Short mmCIF file of all heavy atoms in Angstrom, two decimals:
data_model
loop_
_atom_site.label_atom_id
_atom_site.label_comp_id
_atom_site.label_asym_id
_atom_site.label_seq_id
_atom_site.Cartn_x
_atom_site.Cartn_y
_atom_site.Cartn_z
N LEU A 60 -89.65 122.85 172.30
CA LEU A 60 -90.67 122.11 171.55
C LEU A 60 -92.01 122.84 171.61
O LEU A 60 -92.70 122.99 170.60
CB LEU A 60 -90.78 120.70 172.12
CG LEU A 60 -91.66 119.69 171.39
CD1 LEU A 60 -91.16 118.27 171.69
CD2 LEU A 60 -93.12 119.78 171.81
N LEU A 300 -85.70 111.40 166.70
CA LEU A 300 -86.97 110.74 166.93
C LEU A 300 -88.14 111.48 166.30
O LEU A 300 -89.16 110.87 165.97
CB LEU A 300 -87.22 110.60 168.43
CG LEU A 300 -86.32 109.61 169.19
CD1 LEU A 300 -86.50 109.78 170.70
CD2 LEU A 300 -86.58 108.18 168.76
N GLY A 301 -88.01 112.79 166.13
CA GLY A 301 -89.16 113.60 165.77
C GLY A 301 -89.93 113.98 167.02
O GLY A 301 -89.82 113.36 168.07
N ASP A 302 -90.73 115.02 166.90
CA ASP A 302 -91.38 115.58 168.08
C ASP A 302 -92.35 114.60 168.74
O ASP A 302 -92.43 114.53 169.97
CB ASP A 302 -92.14 116.85 167.70
CG ASP A 302 -91.20 118.02 167.52
OD1 ASP A 302 -90.00 117.86 167.80
OD2 ASP A 302 -91.66 119.09 167.11
N ARG A 303 -93.07 113.82 167.95
CA ARG A 303 -94.06 112.93 168.55
C ARG A 303 -93.39 111.84 169.38
O ARG A 303 -93.77 111.61 170.53
CB ARG A 303 -94.92 112.30 167.45
CG ARG A 303 -95.95 111.33 167.99
CD ARG A 303 -96.95 110.92 166.94
NE ARG A 303 -97.90 109.95 167.45
CZ ARG A 303 -99.03 109.62 166.85
NH1 ARG A 303 -99.37 110.19 165.71
NH2 ARG A 303 -99.83 108.72 167.37
N ASP A 304 -92.38 111.18 168.82
CA ASP A 304 -91.73 110.10 169.55
C ASP A 304 -90.87 110.64 170.69
O ASP A 304 -90.71 109.98 171.72
CB ASP A 304 -90.89 109.24 168.61
CG ASP A 304 -91.75 108.34 167.74
OD1 ASP A 304 -92.94 108.19 168.05
OD2 ASP A 304 -91.24 107.80 166.74
N PHE A 305 -90.29 111.84 170.51
CA PHE A 305 -89.54 112.45 171.62
C PHE A 305 -90.48 112.75 172.77
O PHE A 305 -90.15 112.54 173.95
CB PHE A 305 -88.85 113.72 171.14
CG PHE A 305 -88.07 114.42 172.21
CD1 PHE A 305 -86.82 113.95 172.61
CD2 PHE A 305 -88.58 115.55 172.84
CE1 PHE A 305 -86.10 114.59 173.61
CE2 PHE A 305 -87.86 116.20 173.84
CZ PHE A 305 -86.62 115.72 174.22
N SER A 306 -91.68 113.24 172.46
CA SER A 306 -92.65 113.51 173.52
C SER A 306 -93.05 112.24 174.24
O SER A 306 -93.28 112.24 175.45
CB SER A 306 -93.90 114.19 172.92
OG SER A 306 -93.57 115.46 172.38
N ARG A 307 -93.12 111.14 173.52
CA ARG A 307 -93.46 109.87 174.17
C ARG A 307 -92.31 109.37 175.03
O ARG A 307 -92.53 108.77 176.09
CB ARG A 307 -93.81 108.83 173.11
CG ARG A 307 -95.10 109.17 172.36
CD ARG A 307 -95.37 108.21 171.24
NE ARG A 307 -95.67 106.88 171.74
CZ ARG A 307 -95.88 105.83 170.94
NH1 ARG A 307 -95.81 105.98 169.64
NH2 ARG A 307 -96.18 104.65 171.45
N LEU A 308 -91.08 109.62 174.59
CA LEU A 308 -89.92 109.23 175.40
C LEU A 308 -89.98 109.87 176.77
O LEU A 308 -89.71 109.22 177.79
CB LEU A 308 -88.63 109.62 174.67
CG LEU A 308 -87.33 109.49 175.47
CD1 LEU A 308 -87.06 108.04 175.84
CD2 LEU A 308 -86.16 110.07 174.68
N VAL A 353 -101.98 108.53 174.61
CA VAL A 353 -100.84 108.49 173.70
C VAL A 353 -100.28 107.09 173.55
O VAL A 353 -99.37 106.86 172.76
CB VAL A 353 -99.73 109.44 174.18
CG1 VAL A 353 -100.20 110.88 174.14
CG2 VAL A 353 -99.27 109.08 175.60
N THR A 371 -99.69 100.50 170.32
CA THR A 371 -99.72 101.52 169.27
C THR A 371 -99.96 102.87 169.91
O THR A 371 -100.43 102.97 171.05
CB THR A 371 -100.81 101.22 168.24
OG1 THR A 371 -100.76 102.20 167.19
CG2 THR A 371 -102.19 101.27 168.87
N SER A 372 -99.65 103.92 169.17
CA SER A 372 -100.02 105.27 169.58
C SER A 372 -101.14 105.82 168.71
O SER A 372 -101.57 106.96 168.90
CB SER A 372 -98.80 106.20 169.49
OG SER A 372 -98.30 106.24 168.15
N ASP A 373 -101.61 105.03 167.77
CA ASP A 373 -102.65 105.45 166.84
C ASP A 373 -104.01 104.92 167.30
O ASP A 373 -104.24 103.70 167.33
CB ASP A 373 -102.34 104.92 165.44
CG ASP A 373 -103.40 105.30 164.42
OD1 ASP A 373 -104.14 106.27 164.67
OD2 ASP A 373 -103.51 104.62 163.38
N PRO A 374 -104.94 105.79 167.67
CA PRO A 374 -106.24 105.31 168.17
C PRO A 374 -107.02 104.51 167.15
O PRO A 374 -107.74 103.57 167.51
CB PRO A 374 -106.97 106.61 168.56
CG PRO A 374 -106.28 107.70 167.81
CD PRO A 374 -104.87 107.26 167.68
N PHE A 851 -87.28 119.89 162.93
CA PHE A 851 -86.87 118.98 163.99
C PHE A 851 -85.43 119.17 164.40
O PHE A 851 -84.94 118.49 165.26
CB PHE A 851 -87.07 117.53 163.54
CG PHE A 851 -88.50 117.13 163.42
CD1 PHE A 851 -88.87 116.10 162.59
CD2 PHE A 851 -89.48 117.79 164.14
CE1 PHE A 851 -90.20 115.72 162.49
CE2 PHE A 851 -90.79 117.42 164.03
CZ PHE A 851 -91.16 116.39 163.20
#
Side-chain angles (χ1 to χ4, degrees):
L60 187 154
L300 290 169
D302 283 355
R303 179 169 178 166
D304 286 346
F305 180 77
S306 296
R307 293 175 67 183
L308 170 64
V353 295
T371 183
S372 60
D373 179 22
F851 290 156

